[in-house]
Short mmCIF file of all heavy atoms in Angstrom, two decimals:
data_model
loop_
_atom_site.label_atom_id
_atom_site.label_comp_id
_atom_site.label_asym_id
_atom_site.label_seq_id
_atom_site.Cartn_x
_atom_site.Cartn_y
_atom_site.Cartn_z
N ASN C 72 23.88 1.31 -11.60
CA ASN C 72 23.03 2.49 -11.58
C ASN C 72 22.00 2.37 -12.71
O ASN C 72 22.01 1.51 -13.59
CB ASN C 72 23.89 3.79 -11.70
CG ASN C 72 24.47 3.99 -13.03
OD1 ASN C 72 23.91 3.72 -14.11
ND2 ASN C 72 25.75 4.42 -13.08
N GLY C 73 20.94 3.28 -12.61
CA GLY C 73 19.78 3.21 -13.46
C GLY C 73 20.21 3.39 -14.90
O GLY C 73 19.51 2.82 -15.77
N ILE C 74 21.16 4.20 -15.23
CA ILE C 74 21.61 4.47 -16.58
C ILE C 74 22.11 3.09 -17.17
O ILE C 74 21.65 2.75 -18.32
CB ILE C 74 22.71 5.45 -16.64
CG1 ILE C 74 22.32 6.84 -16.06
CG2 ILE C 74 23.34 5.60 -18.04
CD1 ILE C 74 21.47 7.67 -16.95
N ALA C 75 22.92 2.44 -16.44
CA ALA C 75 23.46 1.10 -16.98
C ALA C 75 22.35 0.07 -17.14
O ALA C 75 22.36 -0.62 -18.13
CB ALA C 75 24.56 0.60 -15.97
N VAL C 76 21.48 0.06 -16.17
CA VAL C 76 20.36 -0.92 -16.27
C VAL C 76 19.51 -0.61 -17.49
O VAL C 76 19.23 -1.50 -18.30
CB VAL C 76 19.46 -0.84 -14.99
CG1 VAL C 76 18.17 -1.67 -15.15
CG2 VAL C 76 20.23 -1.26 -13.75
N CYS C 77 19.17 0.68 -17.72
CA CYS C 77 18.36 1.02 -18.87
C CYS C 77 19.02 0.68 -20.12
O CYS C 77 18.46 0.14 -21.06
CB CYS C 77 17.99 2.47 -18.70
SG CYS C 77 16.73 3.03 -19.85
N ARG C 78 20.37 1.09 -20.20
CA ARG C 78 21.11 0.84 -21.47
C ARG C 78 21.14 -0.64 -21.73
O ARG C 78 20.92 -1.04 -22.91
CB ARG C 78 22.52 1.37 -21.27
CG ARG C 78 23.31 1.45 -22.54
CD ARG C 78 24.54 2.30 -22.30
NE ARG C 78 24.26 3.70 -22.33
CZ ARG C 78 24.83 4.64 -21.51
NH1 ARG C 78 25.69 4.23 -20.59
NH2 ARG C 78 24.54 5.85 -21.58
N GLU C 79 21.34 -1.50 -20.65
CA GLU C 79 21.45 -2.93 -20.96
C GLU C 79 20.05 -3.52 -21.37
O GLU C 79 20.04 -4.41 -22.24
CB GLU C 79 22.03 -3.66 -19.79
CG GLU C 79 23.56 -3.42 -19.80
CD GLU C 79 24.29 -4.06 -18.61
OE1 GLU C 79 23.85 -5.14 -18.12
OE2 GLU C 79 25.29 -3.50 -18.12
N LEU C 80 19.03 -3.07 -20.77
CA LEU C 80 17.70 -3.52 -21.15
C LEU C 80 17.41 -3.19 -22.64
O LEU C 80 16.93 -4.04 -23.39
CB LEU C 80 16.58 -2.87 -20.27
CG LEU C 80 16.49 -3.44 -18.81
CD1 LEU C 80 15.48 -2.58 -18.02
CD2 LEU C 80 16.09 -4.93 -18.84
N ARG C 81 17.70 -1.99 -23.00
CA ARG C 81 17.51 -1.55 -24.38
C ARG C 81 18.36 -2.37 -25.35
O ARG C 81 17.96 -2.78 -26.42
CB ARG C 81 17.73 -0.06 -24.57
CG ARG C 81 16.80 0.85 -23.82
CD ARG C 81 15.37 0.69 -24.34
NE ARG C 81 14.41 1.57 -23.67
CZ ARG C 81 13.45 1.21 -22.84
NH1 ARG C 81 13.28 -0.13 -22.64
NH2 ARG C 81 12.61 2.08 -22.29
N ALA C 82 19.62 -2.60 -24.98
CA ALA C 82 20.61 -3.40 -25.82
C ALA C 82 20.04 -4.81 -25.99
O ALA C 82 20.30 -5.42 -27.01
CB ALA C 82 21.95 -3.34 -25.21
N SER C 83 19.31 -5.33 -25.00
CA SER C 83 18.77 -6.70 -25.12
C SER C 83 17.49 -6.71 -25.85
O SER C 83 16.81 -7.77 -26.00
CB SER C 83 18.66 -7.31 -23.77
OG SER C 83 17.57 -6.73 -23.06
N GLY C 84 17.00 -5.57 -26.36
CA GLY C 84 15.78 -5.52 -27.10
C GLY C 84 14.54 -5.35 -26.34
O GLY C 84 13.40 -5.43 -26.79
N ASP C 85 14.70 -5.00 -25.00
CA ASP C 85 13.53 -4.75 -24.15
C ASP C 85 13.07 -3.32 -24.31
O ASP C 85 13.77 -2.37 -24.05
CB ASP C 85 13.94 -4.98 -22.73
CG ASP C 85 12.75 -5.04 -21.72
OD1 ASP C 85 11.81 -4.31 -21.97
OD2 ASP C 85 12.83 -5.76 -20.78
N ALA C 86 11.78 -3.17 -24.82
CA ALA C 86 11.26 -1.87 -25.06
C ALA C 86 10.30 -1.37 -24.04
O ALA C 86 9.60 -0.42 -24.25
CB ALA C 86 10.59 -1.88 -26.47
N THR C 87 10.21 -2.06 -22.85
CA THR C 87 9.33 -1.68 -21.81
C THR C 87 9.59 -0.21 -21.42
O THR C 87 10.65 0.24 -21.27
CB THR C 87 9.62 -2.51 -20.53
OG1 THR C 87 9.64 -3.86 -20.85
CG2 THR C 87 8.61 -2.18 -19.39
N PRO C 88 8.53 0.67 -21.38
CA PRO C 88 8.69 2.00 -21.01
C PRO C 88 9.39 2.18 -19.70
O PRO C 88 9.13 1.48 -18.74
CB PRO C 88 7.26 2.58 -20.93
CG PRO C 88 6.34 1.65 -21.70
CD PRO C 88 7.08 0.27 -21.65
N VAL C 89 10.35 3.11 -19.64
CA VAL C 89 11.08 3.39 -18.40
C VAL C 89 10.93 4.82 -17.98
O VAL C 89 11.13 5.73 -18.78
CB VAL C 89 12.60 3.11 -18.60
CG1 VAL C 89 13.43 3.60 -17.41
CG2 VAL C 89 12.91 1.54 -18.81
N LEU C 90 10.51 5.03 -16.74
CA LEU C 90 10.42 6.37 -16.15
C LEU C 90 11.58 6.47 -15.19
O LEU C 90 11.62 5.76 -14.20
CB LEU C 90 9.03 6.57 -15.47
CG LEU C 90 8.89 7.82 -14.69
CD1 LEU C 90 9.10 9.11 -15.54
CD2 LEU C 90 7.49 7.94 -14.06
N MET C 91 12.58 7.30 -15.44
CA MET C 91 13.74 7.42 -14.58
C MET C 91 13.45 8.47 -13.51
O MET C 91 12.94 9.49 -13.62
CB MET C 91 14.87 8.01 -15.46
CG MET C 91 16.26 7.77 -14.94
SD MET C 91 16.85 6.06 -15.11
CE MET C 91 17.62 6.08 -16.70
N LEU C 92 13.92 8.00 -12.23
CA LEU C 92 13.75 8.83 -11.07
C LEU C 92 15.13 9.24 -10.63
O LEU C 92 16.01 8.43 -10.60
CB LEU C 92 13.09 8.04 -9.93
CG LEU C 92 11.76 7.36 -10.19
CD1 LEU C 92 11.28 6.60 -9.04
CD2 LEU C 92 10.67 8.43 -10.58
N THR C 93 15.30 10.47 -10.20
CA THR C 93 16.61 10.83 -9.69
C THR C 93 16.48 11.93 -8.61
O THR C 93 15.55 12.73 -8.59
CB THR C 93 17.61 11.26 -10.73
OG1 THR C 93 18.74 11.76 -10.10
CG2 THR C 93 17.03 12.40 -11.58
N ALA C 94 17.42 11.94 -7.69
CA ALA C 94 17.44 12.94 -6.62
C ALA C 94 17.94 14.24 -7.18
O ALA C 94 17.74 15.29 -6.61
CB ALA C 94 18.29 12.44 -5.49
N ARG C 95 18.61 14.20 -8.28
CA ARG C 95 19.28 15.41 -8.84
C ARG C 95 18.55 15.94 -10.01
O ARG C 95 18.35 15.22 -11.02
CB ARG C 95 20.74 15.08 -9.21
CG ARG C 95 21.60 14.71 -8.02
CD ARG C 95 22.96 14.34 -8.44
NE ARG C 95 22.96 13.18 -9.36
CZ ARG C 95 24.04 12.67 -9.97
NH1 ARG C 95 25.19 13.25 -9.73
NH2 ARG C 95 23.96 11.69 -10.73
N ASP C 96 18.07 17.19 -9.96
CA ASP C 96 17.31 17.70 -11.02
C ASP C 96 18.30 18.45 -11.96
O ASP C 96 18.25 19.61 -12.08
CB ASP C 96 16.26 18.62 -10.50
CG ASP C 96 15.32 19.10 -11.58
OD1 ASP C 96 15.35 18.50 -12.72
OD2 ASP C 96 14.50 20.01 -11.36
N SER C 97 19.22 17.74 -12.60
CA SER C 97 20.13 18.40 -13.50
C SER C 97 19.84 17.97 -14.92
O SER C 97 19.44 16.84 -15.25
CB SER C 97 21.59 18.02 -13.16
OG SER C 97 21.90 16.77 -13.60
N ILE C 98 20.07 18.93 -15.85
CA ILE C 98 19.90 18.65 -17.24
C ILE C 98 20.79 17.60 -17.73
O ILE C 98 20.34 16.66 -18.51
CB ILE C 98 20.27 19.99 -18.06
CG1 ILE C 98 19.34 21.14 -17.72
CG2 ILE C 98 20.25 19.73 -19.56
CD1 ILE C 98 17.89 20.99 -18.20
N GLU C 99 21.99 17.51 -17.14
CA GLU C 99 22.94 16.49 -17.56
C GLU C 99 22.41 15.08 -17.26
O GLU C 99 22.52 14.12 -18.11
CB GLU C 99 24.21 16.72 -16.75
CG GLU C 99 25.51 16.04 -17.28
CD GLU C 99 26.66 16.32 -16.38
OE1 GLU C 99 26.79 17.50 -16.05
OE2 GLU C 99 27.38 15.38 -16.03
N ASP C 100 21.83 14.90 -16.02
CA ASP C 100 21.25 13.54 -15.71
C ASP C 100 20.06 13.23 -16.57
O ASP C 100 19.86 12.15 -17.00
CB ASP C 100 20.78 13.62 -14.30
CG ASP C 100 21.86 13.29 -13.29
OD1 ASP C 100 22.97 13.00 -13.74
OD2 ASP C 100 21.63 13.36 -12.07
N LYS C 101 19.33 14.23 -16.87
CA LYS C 101 18.11 14.01 -17.73
C LYS C 101 18.57 13.50 -19.02
O LYS C 101 18.03 12.57 -19.63
CB LYS C 101 17.34 15.35 -17.81
CG LYS C 101 16.13 15.27 -18.75
CD LYS C 101 15.31 16.53 -18.70
CE LYS C 101 14.05 16.33 -19.49
NZ LYS C 101 13.18 17.52 -19.44
N VAL C 102 19.54 14.25 -19.64
CA VAL C 102 20.04 13.87 -21.00
C VAL C 102 20.64 12.44 -20.93
O VAL C 102 20.41 11.66 -21.84
CB VAL C 102 21.03 14.90 -21.48
CG1 VAL C 102 21.76 14.42 -22.74
CG2 VAL C 102 20.33 16.27 -21.77
N ARG C 103 21.39 12.15 -19.88
CA ARG C 103 22.03 10.85 -19.84
C ARG C 103 20.91 9.73 -19.77
O ARG C 103 21.01 8.71 -20.41
CB ARG C 103 22.92 10.74 -18.54
CG ARG C 103 24.28 11.35 -18.74
CD ARG C 103 24.99 11.38 -17.43
NE ARG C 103 25.38 10.08 -16.92
CZ ARG C 103 25.35 9.67 -15.68
NH1 ARG C 103 25.01 10.52 -14.73
NH2 ARG C 103 25.71 8.46 -15.34
N GLY C 104 19.91 9.97 -18.99
CA GLY C 104 18.77 9.09 -18.86
C GLY C 104 18.04 8.82 -20.12
O GLY C 104 17.87 7.66 -20.56
N LEU C 105 17.75 9.85 -20.78
CA LEU C 105 17.07 9.76 -22.10
C LEU C 105 17.95 9.16 -23.17
O LEU C 105 17.49 8.29 -23.93
CB LEU C 105 16.53 11.16 -22.54
CG LEU C 105 15.53 11.79 -21.61
CD1 LEU C 105 15.14 13.16 -22.04
CD2 LEU C 105 14.22 10.91 -21.50
N ASP C 106 19.21 9.45 -23.14
CA ASP C 106 20.21 8.83 -24.06
C ASP C 106 20.28 7.31 -23.82
O ASP C 106 20.53 6.59 -24.74
CB ASP C 106 21.63 9.40 -23.86
CG ASP C 106 21.78 10.73 -24.64
OD1 ASP C 106 20.84 11.09 -25.39
OD2 ASP C 106 22.76 11.43 -24.45
N ALA C 107 20.12 6.90 -22.52
CA ALA C 107 20.17 5.50 -22.22
C ALA C 107 18.95 4.72 -22.64
O ALA C 107 18.87 3.49 -22.52
CB ALA C 107 20.49 5.34 -20.75
N GLY C 108 17.90 5.44 -23.06
CA GLY C 108 16.70 4.79 -23.57
C GLY C 108 15.51 5.02 -22.61
O GLY C 108 14.48 4.40 -22.82
N ALA C 109 15.61 5.85 -21.61
CA ALA C 109 14.49 6.14 -20.74
C ALA C 109 13.44 6.87 -21.55
O ALA C 109 13.72 7.63 -22.48
CB ALA C 109 14.88 6.90 -19.55
N ASP C 110 12.14 6.68 -21.25
CA ASP C 110 11.06 7.39 -21.97
C ASP C 110 10.68 8.70 -21.35
O ASP C 110 10.15 9.60 -22.00
CB ASP C 110 9.82 6.47 -22.00
CG ASP C 110 10.10 5.24 -22.81
OD1 ASP C 110 10.63 4.28 -22.12
OD2 ASP C 110 9.90 5.19 -23.94
N ASP C 111 10.88 8.77 -20.03
CA ASP C 111 10.53 10.00 -19.32
C ASP C 111 11.36 10.11 -18.07
O ASP C 111 12.12 9.17 -17.72
CB ASP C 111 9.05 10.06 -19.01
CG ASP C 111 8.58 11.52 -18.75
OD1 ASP C 111 9.31 12.44 -18.81
OD2 ASP C 111 7.40 11.63 -18.45
N TYR C 112 11.29 11.22 -17.30
CA TYR C 112 12.29 11.58 -16.32
C TYR C 112 11.48 12.32 -15.22
O TYR C 112 10.60 13.17 -15.54
CB TYR C 112 13.32 12.46 -16.95
CG TYR C 112 14.28 13.02 -16.01
CD1 TYR C 112 15.55 12.46 -15.86
CD2 TYR C 112 14.04 14.18 -15.35
CE1 TYR C 112 16.47 13.00 -15.11
CE2 TYR C 112 14.98 14.77 -14.54
CZ TYR C 112 16.21 14.17 -14.34
OH TYR C 112 17.15 14.67 -13.55
N LEU C 113 11.78 11.96 -14.00
CA LEU C 113 11.11 12.74 -12.84
C LEU C 113 12.11 12.96 -11.74
O LEU C 113 12.79 11.97 -11.28
CB LEU C 113 9.94 11.97 -12.34
CG LEU C 113 8.98 12.61 -11.36
CD1 LEU C 113 8.43 13.93 -11.92
CD2 LEU C 113 7.83 11.62 -11.00
N ALA C 114 12.28 14.18 -11.32
CA ALA C 114 13.20 14.54 -10.26
C ALA C 114 12.60 14.40 -8.91
O ALA C 114 11.44 14.81 -8.71
CB ALA C 114 13.83 15.93 -10.46
N LYS C 115 13.39 13.76 -7.91
CA LYS C 115 12.86 13.66 -6.57
C LYS C 115 13.29 14.89 -5.82
O LYS C 115 14.35 15.47 -6.11
CB LYS C 115 13.50 12.43 -5.94
CG LYS C 115 12.94 11.12 -6.43
CD LYS C 115 13.42 9.91 -5.61
CE LYS C 115 14.90 9.47 -5.96
NZ LYS C 115 15.24 8.26 -5.26
N PRO C 116 12.54 15.39 -4.83
CA PRO C 116 11.26 14.78 -4.46
C PRO C 116 10.14 15.22 -5.40
O PRO C 116 10.21 16.33 -6.03
CB PRO C 116 10.99 15.44 -3.10
CG PRO C 116 11.73 16.76 -3.13
CD PRO C 116 12.92 16.54 -4.08
N PHE C 117 9.14 14.43 -5.56
CA PHE C 117 8.09 14.75 -6.44
C PHE C 117 6.74 14.52 -5.69
O PHE C 117 6.67 13.70 -4.77
CB PHE C 117 8.08 13.85 -7.65
CG PHE C 117 8.24 12.39 -7.41
CD1 PHE C 117 7.16 11.61 -7.03
CD2 PHE C 117 9.47 11.77 -7.51
CE1 PHE C 117 7.29 10.28 -6.72
CE2 PHE C 117 9.70 10.40 -7.24
CZ PHE C 117 8.49 9.68 -6.84
N ALA C 118 5.67 15.17 -6.17
CA ALA C 118 4.32 14.92 -5.63
C ALA C 118 3.76 13.68 -6.23
O ALA C 118 4.09 13.44 -7.44
CB ALA C 118 3.42 16.13 -6.00
N PHE C 119 3.19 12.83 -5.46
CA PHE C 119 2.69 11.53 -6.03
C PHE C 119 1.77 11.76 -7.21
O PHE C 119 1.84 10.98 -8.17
CB PHE C 119 1.97 10.71 -4.89
CG PHE C 119 1.70 9.31 -5.39
CD1 PHE C 119 2.75 8.41 -5.47
CD2 PHE C 119 0.49 8.91 -5.73
CE1 PHE C 119 2.59 7.15 -6.00
CE2 PHE C 119 0.27 7.60 -6.22
CZ PHE C 119 1.32 6.74 -6.36
N GLU C 120 1.02 12.84 -7.22
CA GLU C 120 0.07 13.14 -8.30
C GLU C 120 0.84 13.32 -9.63
O GLU C 120 0.44 12.93 -10.71
CB GLU C 120 -0.75 14.43 -8.06
CG GLU C 120 -1.96 14.17 -7.26
CD GLU C 120 -2.85 13.02 -7.82
OE1 GLU C 120 -3.11 13.10 -9.02
OE2 GLU C 120 -3.20 12.09 -7.07
N GLU C 121 2.09 13.92 -9.54
CA GLU C 121 2.89 14.14 -10.71
C GLU C 121 3.43 12.78 -11.19
O GLU C 121 3.37 12.51 -12.36
CB GLU C 121 4.02 15.08 -10.49
CG GLU C 121 4.73 15.40 -11.77
CD GLU C 121 5.91 16.41 -11.66
OE1 GLU C 121 6.30 16.79 -10.58
OE2 GLU C 121 6.41 16.67 -12.74
N LEU C 122 3.86 11.90 -10.26
CA LEU C 122 4.33 10.60 -10.70
C LEU C 122 3.21 9.82 -11.41
O LEU C 122 3.37 9.25 -12.45
CB LEU C 122 4.82 9.83 -9.43
CG LEU C 122 5.17 8.36 -9.76
CD1 LEU C 122 6.45 8.23 -10.47
CD2 LEU C 122 5.20 7.50 -8.53
N LEU C 123 1.98 9.99 -10.82
CA LEU C 123 0.83 9.21 -11.43
C LEU C 123 0.54 9.80 -12.79
O LEU C 123 0.20 8.97 -13.67
CB LEU C 123 -0.42 9.45 -10.57
CG LEU C 123 -0.65 8.41 -9.48
CD1 LEU C 123 -2.02 8.67 -8.80
CD2 LEU C 123 -0.68 7.02 -10.01
#
Side-chain angles (χ1 to χ4, degrees):
N72 71 41
I74 299 284
V76 171
C77 191
R78 192 168 282 140
E79 283 178 32
L80 286 175
R81 294 297 183 245
S83 72
D85 190 326
T87 308
V89 170
L90 174 58
M91 198 76 90
L92 307 174
T93 176
R95 297 176 298 178
D96 190 11
S97 77
I98 297 292
E99 199 182 312
D100 276 354
K101 180 174 180 175
V102 168
R103 281 172 67 215
L105 297 175
D106 277 352
D110 297 84
D111 201 359
Y112 175 98
L113 188 58
K115 291 190 280 188
F117 49 80
F119 192 71
E120 276 309 310
E121 187 178 4
L122 174 74
L123 270 187

